[in-house]
Each structure stands twice: as C-alpha cells, then as structure tokens.
Amino acid sequence: MFAKTGALAINYGNQQQVRGMATLKAISLRLKSVKNIQKITQSMKMVSAAKYTKAERDLKQARPYGEGAKSFYEKAEVAPVSESPDKILIALTSDRGLCGAVHTQVSRQIRNELCEDPEHTRVICIGDKSRAILQRLFGKNILMVAHEVGRKPPTFVDASKIAQETSRYNFSSGKIIFNRFKSVVSYTTSELPLFSQAAIAAAPKLSIYDSIDSEVLQSYMEFSMASLLYYAMKEGACSEQSSRMTAMDNASKNAGEMIDKLTLTFNRTRQAVITRELIEIISGAAALE
Amino acid sequence: MASVGTTRSVLRLLSSQPILKQAVRGYADEMAFTFAAANKVFYANSNVKQVDVPSFSGAFGILPKHVPTLAVLKPGVVTVFEQDGSSKKVFVSSGTVTINEDSSVQVLAEEAHPVEDLDASAAREQLSKAQGDLSKATSEQEKAEALIAIEVAEALVAAA
C-alpha cells in the first residue's frame, strides 16, 4: 500500500515544477489520506491490543492443558509407524491479515515439508490465509479449509470440530504447525505431533499402561487431538494478535513520519507560492513605474 | 592449583545434576497432578494426596504410584484430596485421564467447574430440556446428542 503511494509522490514532485497551485491541493489531499490511514492503523492497534490481552490470559490457562495433552505421547514414546507414508499437516492460521509474518511463517514451513514429499502429504488449512498462500502451488494437496477463524477467540468447540473432520482421513503421522507465543515481540513456528491409532498401539511403552482396550484408546485419541488443536489455536491466536499489534504500531509510526515529511513539503510549497505571487505583483508594479 | 579448581567445579557440576533431577522427580509417594479444562486450570504439576475420577470403566481413585493407564472421563465429579487433608470437588463434562509411569497424572476436561458454583435448579431445567430434545429428536445423530445431553444433565443434577 505504501509502496504504491511512494510512486505517486514522485509524480507530484514532477507536477510541482509545472503548476504550483495544483501541487498544493494534491499535497493537502495526500496529507489528509495519510492522516486517515494513521487513524485506522492506530485504532486497529488498540483493538488488537485489547484482543491480545484477552488472548494472553486465555493462553495462560491453555498452556498446562496443552502440556498435559502432549505428555502422554512423550512419556509413552510414541513414534510414527513407517509402513504407510501418508502424512497430514494442519496449518493453523486465520482469516485476517495485516499481522506481520505469522501466516507466512506457518505456510513456509508447510511448503518446505510439501516439497520433500508432495505425493503423500496432505494439508488441512485452518483459516483462509494459509489456503491463499498454498493454493497456487499445492492446491491438490489441500484436503479441507476452515473459514471464519480469527474473528473471535478460538473455542474448544472449534477445535473438536476440526479434530472430528481430521480424524475422517487416514494418515499414519501428522503435525500441527502453529506459532508458539513467546512474548509480545516474538513467536516461533513450532509443531505438535499427531499419531494414528496404529502408531500408538505400536508404541514401545504402551504395554506398561494398564487396562487399555481399543475403544478407550480411540476416545482418548479423539479427545487428545481436540485438546492439542485447542492449545495450538490459542497459541496461534495470541501470536497473531501480538504480531498485529506490533505491525500496526509500526504502520502508525511510518504514517507519522510520512505526515511530518508531507507537512514540511506542504508548508514549503505554500511559501513558494506566496513568494512567487509577491514577485509577480512586485515586478508588475515595477514595470508600471 | 587452577587445574584442581576447575576439575573440582566440573565434578561439582556433574554431581549436582542427578540431585537436581531427583528433586524434580520427587520420591516415591509424590505425584505430579495436572488438572486442566478448556476454561480453567485447577492444578498444574502440584502434589496431591489422592484423586477420585469418574470414568467409563467405573469410578476410581488415584494414589501416587498408580499403575500407568489411560481412561476416558464420564460426566461427574472429580474429587481431589490435597496434602493438607482438604478436598475439592469439581464437576467435569468429559475428558481424559492419563497416568504415566513417572507417577504424573493428567486430568484434562472439556469443561470443568467447582461443584459449589453449580446451580441445582438450572441443572434440573437443563435435564428437562434435554429430555424434551430427546422426544423431539428424529435422526439417529440428534438422538445420540440428546442422550449425551441427558447424561451430562443427570450428572449435573446429582452433583449440584
């Protein structure tokens, strides 16, 4: 957006030498529009700051939940079974942009994984942004897309819906790729593993667990997938809001800089116009004498 | 002299590591209990005496050094007995229980609320609404959903 207006500024610069008055008008119009942009980015920053505080509060609650859901897989030493290479990747993004590189980071990681094995890897896009990025090159690898993500904070119901849809597909291993929130200014793209029931049944340490039948295992897995998704969605939402906050803060700062520069040019041009008019009047009067 | 100093500090580093690990792991009768729901965290790696959970294979109590197992939570009341003898009752709608071999216990619920926050009359209302839904239900899925709602509401009424 700003790059385009930058190109326009050069045009105005050329005009200045031709017609002073029009440039004055043009500059004041542009000044006004930049001021409006700044107002918008500022209010977007305020909105995302409010959303961020809520998301962070939610995340504090969700972290132990996610750790708990993850710990069984770590402690039972579950590893993907290698017989079928089918892999599923869940990209956790949202519908909304203007938030720095959060969506690009997730999509880039997925793209790298897809490049390794495009035949057997399938993608589930949560949020329109990842779909928009991945569709052009890997359209046929996308299994499903979830819309309406990111407007409201994610809920457990959302997560369980996604988990239910995901469990329809057969896969031997999977990954949830999301942005893990670290602080207001930083996040890292990380992943949570997903396993098929066969992989869990084949886990070396499963035998020490008592009284497990396949029904319990299946219910357990369904619930744990929803829990992991819920946790990852909370992390993603928090990173997104914090990143949008920073992005909008920067945009407001940049707009402020532009306003300063434009005001300076505006004043200078106005002064030039006045001077020129004075010269015209004075030289006109001098010619009459 | 300097070399003796460094070797000693290296030795200290080496020896301090297992001690640290032990402190985290704790001794025999300690359990790392995590009880979290999507809406709230009740315990995070805290040490408690005993936990009673309702599961589909029957309600059971968990003491430290329980045999590792997995279970699926049934709607009902989870009772946590803390070290000082006080107990806390929390209603859960559904979820999972994981007991690992290092005596760490994770109770993850979809939704959980302390029993004292429950409203008995609202629970009864919920139950009658769920029963009404069941009589109206036509498809198999609606019926199943209504049955689950009744199950939860019955447990709510019993708990409140």
Side-chain angles (χ1 to χ4, degrees):
Chain A
M1 187 165 62
F2 292 122
K4 219 181 271 172
T5 45
L8 278 178
I10 297 167
N11 279 343
Y12 289 144
N14 291 341
Q15 264 181 358
Q16 194 178 11
Q17 284 164 350
V18 188
R19 288 177 303 186
M21 295 296 281
T23 320
L24 208 55
K25 177 84 177 155
I27 291 176
S28 78
L29 275 179
R30 215 161 104 65
L31 195 58
K32 212 180 263 172
S33 87
V34 176
K35 274 182 183 160
N36 283 337
I37 290 172
Q38 194 192 27
K39 270 182 212 155
I40 294 169
T41 53
Q42 253 164 2
S43 51
M44 279 177 84
K45 189 202 153 195
M46 299 305 279
V47 170
S48 52
K51 283 189 178 167
Y52 159 73
T53 39
K54 191 172 183 299
E56 204 206 0
R57 213 168 46 227
D58 284 355
L59 182 62
K60 267 198 193 124
Q61 301 290 319
R63 275 227 166 116
Y65 194 72
E67 300 292 323
K70 209 165 55 179
S71 66
F72 164 68
Y73 296 106
E74 283 164 5
K75 283 173 183 152
E77 291 170 12
V78 183
V81 277
S82 51
E83 54 199 49
S84 81
D86 285 331
K87 214 159 103 179
I88 211 160
L89 299 173
I90 303 184
L92 275 184
T93 58
S94 85
D95 289 357
R96 304 291 176 100
L98 292 181
C99 49
V102 273
H103 302 322
T104 341
Q105 293 274 2
V106 169
S107 306
R108 186 176 301 151
Q109 186 153 350
I110 296 224
R111 204 177 53 205
N112 292 345
E113 299 238 355
L114 274 173
C115 287
E116 275 171 27
D117 186 10
E119 291 294 304
H120 299 103
T121 314
R122 295 279 174 275
V123 184
I124 291 177
C125 294
I126 311 299
D128 275 338
K129 283 286 160 190
S130 54
R131 192 207 55 169
I133 298 170
L134 294 169
Q135 196 176 35
R136 204 163 55 86
L137 283 172
F138 302 103
K140 60 179 189 337
N141 294 60
I142 295 178
L143 281 179
M144 74 176 185
V145 182
H147 300 281
E148 276 297 306
V149 188
R151 201 161 57 84
K152 286 181 193 152
T155 60
F156 196 83
V157 180
D158 298 339
S160 45
K161 264 186 203 160
I162 296 166
Q164 200 174 10
E165 291 295 320
T166 309
S167 53
R168 282 195 203 173
Y169 301 104
N170 285 326
F171 58 91
S172 68
S173 71
K175 273 178 193 167
I176 305 174
I177 296 179
F178 67 106
N179 287 308
R180 191 182 147 81
F181 174 78
K182 270 158 76 183
S183 72
V184 186
V185 284
S186 79
Y187 55 87
T188 43
T189 314
S190 38
E191 52 191 49
L192 283 173
L194 288 177
F195 299 104
S196 63
Q197 200 168 340
I200 295 196
K205 278 199 168 178
L206 192 79
S207 53
I208 60 163
Y209 286 83
D210 188 34
S211 71
I212 293 177
D213 49 45
S214 66
E215 203 177 317
V216 166
L217 203 58
Q218 200 194 342
S219 322
Y220 183 89
M221 287 208 30
E222 282 169 7
F223 190 83
S224 97
M225 196 205 274
S227 308
L228 286 175
L229 274 168
Y230 173 76
Y231 162 66
M233 280 168 99
K234 284 284 178 207
E235 289 271 5
C238 196
S239 331
E240 185 192 326
Q241 294 303 347
S242 73
S243 163
R244 176 170 297 126
M245 210 164 73
T246 347
M248 287 300 117
D249 192 34
N250 287 338
S252 308
K253 258 185 219 151
N254 288 346
E257 267 172 35
M258 272 177 93
I259 288 170
D260 286 348
K261 269 186 201 154
L262 279 171
T263 324
L264 198 67
T265 333
F266 179 78
N267 288 342
R268 218 171 255 167
T269 320
R270 194 189 53 199
Q271 205 52 51
V273 170
I274 294 169
T275 316
R276 202 185 60 201
E277 279 175 3
L278 274 177
I279 291 171
E280 277 167 9
I281 294 165
I282 292 167
S283 47
L288 281 179
E289 268 173 21
Chain B
M1 191 60 199
S3 70
V4 172
T6 41
T7 41
R8 194 177 291 159
S9 64
V10 167
L11 273 177
R12 199 180 294 144
L13 265 176
L14 282 174
S15 62
S16 71
Q17 229 157 1
I19 292 169
L20 249 175
K21 216 177 233 172
Q22 222 167 26
V24 174
R25 265 202 182 164
Y27 34 90
D29 52 348
E30 213 171 77
M31 68 173 160
F33 177 58
T34 305
F35 180 12
N39 56 334
K40 201 176 168 188
V41 176
F42 292 91
Y43 295 89
N45 275 329
S46 40
N47 182 19
V48 295
K49 225 186 237 170
Q50 187 190 340
V51 189
D52 289 352
V53 293
S55 88
F56 276 105
S57 47
F60 61 99
I62 305 165
L63 285 163
K65 286 273 164 194
H66 192 282
V67 62
T69 188
L70 302 175
V72 182
L73 278 179
K74 206 167 86 161
V77 179
V78 171
T79 316
V80 183
F81 298 95
E82 285 175 31
Q83 284 298 337
D84 57 2
S86 63
S87 71
K88 192 170 174 184
K89 289 179 177 227
V90 181
F91 179 83
V92 293
S93 62
S94 63
T96 56
V97 185
T98 317
I99 304 162
N100 293 311
E101 70 172 327
D102 58 356
S103 208
S104 68
V105 178
Q106 282 98 33
V107 177
L108 301 177
E110 187 177 346
E111 221 174 321
H113 292 283
V115 167
E116 57 266 26
D117 290 358
L118 299 177
D119 181 1
S121 62
R124 269 192 289 277
E125 217 169 273
Q126 188 75 29
L127 178 59
S128 58
K129 192 181 159 283
Q131 278 159 346
D133 282 349
L134 179 63
S135 56
K136 268 184 278 174
T138 47
S139 68
E140 281 297 310
Q141 196 187 347
E142 275 176 32
K143 251 179 214 166
E145 276 173 10
L147 278 175
I148 293 170
I150 288 178
E151 198 186 337
V152 176
E154 271 172 354
L156 263 173
V157 170

